[in-house]
Amino acid sequence: MYKEGLATALASLGRKPEPLAFGGDRLSIVWWNTSLSPYGGTKSKMGAANKRKTIKSIIRLVEMNDLVVLGEYQDEYGLSKCLAEANLRLHYLGSGIRYDVIDLNYKCNYKAKNGRNYSHEFHNYLIYNRSSLINKTGSLKAATFNKLGKEHYRVFQRVRFYDNLMGLGDFELFIVHWSMHDGFEGRAEARRKEAAAERIVEQMGLDESAFPYQLVMGDFNCELYEEPFAKLKSSRSRGYSTRNGTLYNPFWACMGDEIGTISHRNNDTFLCDTPFFDSVMVNHRIVSDNRGLLLHAKVLEDIEPFLADQHHPLRLVIERRM
């Protein structure tokens, strides 16, 4: 229903993508919390025109990158159908099928100790270039981890690929979207986030022998220096990550007085004028790879959010030195 005005953007999917300004072999990955779902909240305030602009921006990102991971997106906007039409055009042009999707929307219903019924939902959606990546993810349910002991919680979703570009082979993504934690009630939420972070670190250790290259990305709804995020043991130093086998977060270098991942426009929700809640991190195997992989991290402020509190996309390019 929001396809009006998309013809130009969608037609671009039938062309050869413009190259990024990086030399050598490279894998380009984008994370973006689009704020398009779930129902209510920001989505209800966005309006049809701004939703169309957001979809156009998604198309632009798909055209320019190998993997686009969308948070807060449900395919009620017909993006998968548009991609299928683009694939058909590419097939007739002799370019082969290029785009595929992994719909990670998942809802888990459960009954809490107080007898009330609750649900936990993931609204994540992936679009990837089939000439660059091969999907090795199992079932949606198997990809979704949402239990901390007996308690249901949105811990992470794990997606696996085989890389055809960089020679990385099998690698996996851990996709995270934590809730906000504010005030007295937020203390319990913060503790859940800390437990979720420790669960992610544990799972990465269990998977590392089969999937040595790993990334963690998403909307963590806390600053990089807050305690829940610190439990992920991510470092701003490549050397520290290599020596200690921890995550490396190249987006530490993007933090500054004027740069954040959320568009803040006269809104008193956040203590910081430029909250930095989103990140894309890599494990120590990528940092210490003997091929000397380069990492280019950027907050894509040119993809402008349309509301206060809407997020900017993040792009991480992994490049092999020539």
Side-chain angles (χ1 to χ4, degrees):
M1 58 179 147
Y2 296 106
K3 289 192 199 173
E4 293 179 34
L6 291 182
T8 302
L10 292 173
S12 69
L13 286 169
R15 301 196 306 263
K16 182 179 179 181
E18 300 174 32
L20 291 171
F22 302 103
D25 297 330
R26 57 53 174 174
L27 181 67
S28 181
I29 299 171
V30 169
W31 157 260
W32 189 17
N33 180 352
T34 65
S35 304
L36 286 171
S37 68
Y39 295 100
T42 304
K43 177 182 175 182
S44 62
K45 303 172 187 176
M46 188 180 290
N50 283 335
K51 289 174 185 175
R52 286 196 293 270
K53 291 179 183 178
T54 302
I55 298 297
K56 285 184 179 181
S57 296
I58 292 172
I59 295 293
R60 177 181 170 191
L61 292 172
V62 168
E63 182 183 15
M64 295 288 291
N65 300 279
D66 301 298
L67 173 64
V68 177
V69 184
L70 304 175
E72 295 191 7
Y73 181 85
Q74 294 169 290
D75 197 30
E76 62 190 49
Y77 305 98
L79 185 56
S80 61
K81 183 177 180 181
C82 296
L83 292 168
E85 293 170 355
N87 280 333
L88 187 62
R89 288 198 300 273
L90 289 165
H91 175 73
Y92 282 114
L93 290 172
S95 301
I97 294 175
R98 181 180 296 155
Y99 305 104
D100 209 344
V101 303
I102 304 176
D103 191 339
L104 290 176
N105 278 264
Y106 181 83
K107 182 175 181 179
C108 174
N109 298 311
Y110 67 97
K111 182 173 287 188
K113 294 179 181 178
N114 60 12
R116 296 178 62 183
N117 293 318
Y118 293 91
S119 66
H120 275 239
E121 300 183 28
F122 290 87
H123 295 286
N124 296 320
Y125 197 82
L126 283 75
I127 307 164
Y128 66 96
N129 189 325
R130 289 177 55 175
S131 64
S132 306
L133 301 169
I134 298 173
N135 177 15
K136 298 192 71 174
T137 307
S139 68
L140 171 60
K141 190 171 183 179
T144 302
F145 289 73
N146 63 342
K147 291 193 73 173
L148 293 172
K150 295 182 179 179
E151 182 178 6
H152 286 263
Y153 186 77
R154 294 181 301 180
V155 185
F156 61 83
Q157 289 184 301
R158 182 182 61 189
V159 182
R160 291 169 165 173
F161 287 101
Y162 180 85
D163 163 45
N164 277 331
L165 285 178
M166 298 285 298
L168 297 180
D170 293 331
F171 74 96
E172 62 182 2
L173 311 177
F174 290 80
I175 304 167
V176 177
H177 192 175
W178 290 342
S179 303
M180 289 289 292
H181 61 281
D182 295 313
F184 179 78
E185 293 182 358
R187 295 177 188 174
E189 179 64 29
R191 288 195 293 271
R192 292 188 190 98
K193 289 163 76 167
E194 291 173 15
E198 292 175 344
R199 179 72 177 86
I200 291 169
V201 173
E202 176 190 10
Q203 190 64 47
M204 290 179 69
L206 294 172
D207 294 351
E208 191 172 11
S209 59
F211 292 86
Y213 298 100
Q214 300 165 319
L215 296 90
V216 180
M217 66 176 63
D219 176 5
F220 298 87
N221 269 311
C222 61
E223 296 283 1
L224 305 188
Y225 46 78
E226 290 188 77
E227 185 60 28
F229 196 94
K231 292 290 184 179
L232 287 168
K233 301 179 181 178
S234 69
S235 172
R236 69 184 73 193
S237 165
R238 291 182 66 128
Y240 183 91
S241 173
T242 301
R243 291 191 302 272
N244 295 279
T246 64
L247 284 166
Y248 168 62
N249 188 351
F251 282 92
W252 269 104
C254 296
M255 289 186 67
D257 294 336
E258 302 299 327
I259 297 178
T261 65
I262 299 178
S263 175
H264 179 78
R265 300 178 182 174
N266 301 318
N267 189 301
D268 59 2
T269 304
F270 308 112
L271 294 176
C272 177
D273 285 341
T274 54
F276 210 104
F277 284 179
D278 303 79
S279 276
V280 181
M281 297 166 279
V282 300
N283 74 335
H284 67 101
R285 293 286 189 92
I286 293 178
V287 175
S288 60
D289 187 280
N290 59 16
R291 288 167 293 186
L293 299 179
L294 302 175
L295 301 174
H296 306 275
K298 185 176 182 181
V299 178
L300 300 178
E301 293 183 288
D302 55 329
I303 307 289
E304 184 182 3
F306 307 105
L307 295 172
D309 308 343
Q310 193 175 4
H311 296 244
H312 294 290
L314 274 59
R315 181 172 67 200
L316 178 67
V317 176
I318 306 173
E319 180 190 5
R320 184 167 56 196
R321 285 193 180 100
M322 294 294 288

